[in-house]
Amino acid sequence: MAILTRGWIGFLSLAIIAFINLAKADEPAFFIFGDSTADVGTNNNLKECGARADHRYNGIDYPNSTPTGRFSNGYNSADLIVRQLGDFKISPPPFLSLLKRTRTFKRNILRGVNFASGGSGIFKETGRRRFVSLSLSDKGGPSVTLVEKNNVGKVVSLEKQIQQFATVCGNITEVLGPAEADHLISNSIYIISVGSNDIIEIPFGTATEKFINKIHFTYANHLKNLYKLGARKFGIISVPPIGCCPAVRVYNSSGGCVDPVNAIARAFYKAADALLQHFSSEFKGVKYSLANAYHMTMSIIDNPIANGFKDVKTACCGNGTVACKEGSNLCANRNDYLFWDWFHPTQAASELAALTLAFAEGPEFVKPVNFSQLARVVV
Ligand SMILES: *[C@@H]1O[C@H](CO)[C@@H](O)[C@H](O)[C@H]1NC(C)=O
Ligand SMILES: *[C@@H]1O[C@H](CO)[C@@H](O)[C@H](O)[C@H]1NC(C)=O
Ligand SMILES: *[C@@H]1O[C@H](CO)[C@@H](O)[C@H](O)[C@H]1NC(C)=O
Ligand SMILES: *[C@@H]1O[C@H](CO)[C@@H](O)[C@H](O)[C@H]1NC(C)=O
């Protein structure tokens, strides 16, 4: 029984580690950016951040009913997308949580990092203000009245998320050396889900066209910065019909969606489409998938039963005027609902979205290729 001496154990574990590394060499890593649709606990690390979900009833359907910081009853889109595309069960951990574990930091980042922060947006200033009320301006666009929060609501802006990624790139290079690091970084998938909060916070009276131009320009800069750091494969998720979420529906006395808000979400998609076509033709090696979250969500709202939902208007937890918290009303059949709370989808809805963008055929929901094809491209 002495065959397994220390030497043998050492050899075996080395062999096993080598095998695991080989097996994973083909699996892309995931770097995830954006807002609460993709946040898996970033904001738990921010003191006095208003946009936090690490409290009940969030996470009620997560293993052990744990509130993890996800704005969902269970998993969110970041988890469910990576689960479709690789051998991941959930999203990579938040950058700010990984930072706290210095001993394992360098090992953990090699499979990806999640930088997404609830409340953040494409603009640096998004997320520091509080959504107060919505009014329709006479210029035809919707506008919200804002109250500045004295830095209380600070979130991690997309710009800052990309700066954090730059640090991670340096750390990866330290671990793997330049050639292998380049390979890992260029073959990873960059999932970005952002834009809703910018729309929600449009300053009163801004013309839609001017706003969309500014979004286009700023988003393009973010993508270029990621490109400069070595990113090549982009999975972009556009803005859902936020005019239909419970928090915005309350501004329509007949309970319908608020179309002027949805019109901006549609304009956002068009701008993202044009932007990515241009970006991929201008910058060598760029591959992308653009998911049409507007159209995906609208097809559920228009055909709830066919998509397996019974309620596509009201929040399962809380309602259109109050956020989800312990003690607020909570629906029993969470899988029947499109909306988990006043702004966010249920796990069931995120799961359907993840399946759609991973496997849909044709340009209706995702173009020019679906996310599973994007994952397979070798750069
Ligand atoms: C990651 O890189 C940054 C910037 O170079 C450095 O300050 C930090 O110590 C690195 N982290 C680790 C765990 O090495
Ligand atoms: C309010 O909802 C109704 C449908 O119930 C719709 O016809 C109307 O256009 C909506 N109003 C706005 C401002 O979007
Ligand atoms: C939303 O919930 C709050 C708190 O439970 C309650 O006071 C309010 O009346 C509810 N609003 C609607 C429209 O049901
Ligand atoms: C989408 O993904 C599936 C599975 O990878 C693939 O078979 C299919 O051809 C793809 N469709 C399109 C149009 O990209």
Side-chain angles (χ1 to χ4, degrees):
M1 293 309 290
I3 294 172
L4 288 178
T5 60
R6 285 175 71 92
W8 269 102
I9 293 170
F11 173 75
L12 277 178
S13 48
L14 267 184
I16 289 166
I17 288 166
F19 175 76
I20 292 171
N21 283 341
L22 264 183
K24 285 182 177 166
D26 290 340
E27 288 287 339
F30 289 90
F31 296 98
I32 298 168
F33 302 83
D35 57 25
S36 54
T37 53
D39 186 341
V40 292
T42 297
N43 287 8
N44 302 355
N45 298 286
L46 305 177
K47 270 189 214 143
E48 297 191 80
C49 170
R52 281 172 65 157
D54 51 344
H55 56 81
R56 280 163 51 86
Y57 297 118
N58 291 295
I60 191 164
D61 298 314
Y62 198 85
N64 305 316
S65 288
T66 312
T68 58
R70 289 166 172 81
F71 295 78
S72 169
N73 56 309
Y75 297 108
N76 69 14
S77 307
D79 299 308
L80 298 163
I81 291 169
V82 302
R83 189 183 293 180
Q84 295 306 326
L85 302 181
D87 63 354
F88 289 81
K89 289 208 168 60
I90 59 172
S91 162
F95 173 71
L96 295 179
S97 307
L98 287 172
L99 265 190
K100 289 182 174 163
R101 285 171 258 148
T102 40
R103 225 163 36 83
T104 51
F105 178 80
K106 285 189 174 166
R107 178 159 19 105
N108 288 336
I109 55 175
L110 301 180
R111 306 233 46 215
V113 177
N114 187 322
F115 302 92
S117 167
S120 71
I122 292 166
F123 301 140
K124 241 191 340 224
E125 55 278 12
T126 296
R128 297 184 183 187
R129 298 173 290 197
R130 194 157 55 94
F131 173 68
V132 173
S133 73
L134 184 134
S135 44
L136 301 178
S137 80
D138 49 8
K139 288 183 181 148
S143 283
V144 296
T145 310
L146 300 166
V147 169
E148 293 280 344
K149 286 171 143 188
N150 305 320
N151 284 339
V152 175
K154 265 194 182 160
V155 298
V156 188
S157 67
L158 189 54
E159 182 181 291
K160 180 80 196 197
Q161 293 175 33
I162 293 169
Q163 285 164 7
Q164 292 172 335
F165 172 66
T167 314
V168 166
C169 286
N171 299 135
I172 291 174
T173 307
E174 260 181 74
V175 179
L176 297 180
E180 246 193 276
D182 273 2
H183 181 81
L184 186 149
I185 290 164
S186 59
N187 282 287
S188 296
I189 299 173
Y190 296 81
I191 293 176
I192 312 177
S193 178
V194 74
S196 299
N197 294 314
D198 301 290
I199 295 178
I200 282 292
E201 293 188 13
I202 292 181
F204 190 83
T206 309
T208 301
E209 200 192 330
K210 194 172 157 220
F211 170 78
I212 289 293
N213 285 342
K214 195 175 158 207
I215 283 276
H216 187 126
F217 175 79
T218 313
Y219 209 159
N221 266 335
H222 292 312
L223 293 179
K224 280 178 215 161
N225 287 335
L226 282 171
Y227 182 87
K228 279 188 220 150
L229 292 166
R232 294 294 179 271
K233 294 162 66 169
F234 298 87
I236 308 288
I237 300 164
S238 74
V239 170
I242 42 182
C244 297
C245 69
V248 180
R249 268 181 201 268
V250 296
Y251 293 96
N252 185 333
S253 50
S254 61
C257 303
V258 176
D259 195 62
V261 176
N262 281 349
I264 304 186
R266 290 192 295 270
F268 181 99
Y269 176 78
K270 267 188 154 172
D273 190 10
L275 162 61
L276 287 164
Q277 287 184 34
H278 184 75
F279 178 57
S280 62
S281 65
E282 195 183 348
F283 291 89
K284 206 170 145 259
V286 167
K287 303 277 182 247
Y288 73 92
S289 292
L290 171 62
N292 191 338
Y294 186 91
H295 188 47
M296 278 194 245
T297 311
M298 249 353 191
S299 11
I300 296 175
I301 291 173
D302 292 339
N303 296 289
I305 301 297
N307 285 291
F309 294 92
K310 290 190 182 134
D311 187 319
V312 294
K313 290 183 178 166
T314 63
C316 168
C317 179
N319 60 35
T321 49
V322 300
C324 174
K325 55 177 180 289
E326 187 150 26
S328 53
N329 72 295
L330 178 68
C331 73
N333 302 316
R334 264 105 47 197
N335 289 339
D336 291 345
Y337 280 71
L338 171 60
F339 292 104
W340 162 238
D341 64 5
W342 58 351
F343 279 114
H344 304 101
T346 53
Q347 171 180 289
S350 298
E351 172 119 58
L352 182 58
L355 283 170
T356 306
L357 59 80
F359 303 113
E361 298 272 345
E364 194 183 1
F365 295 116
V366 53
K367 67 181 271 193
V369 296
N370 59 36
F371 277 46
S372 57
Q373 286 170 305
L374 179 74
R376 268 186 264 116
V377 175
V378 178
V379 176

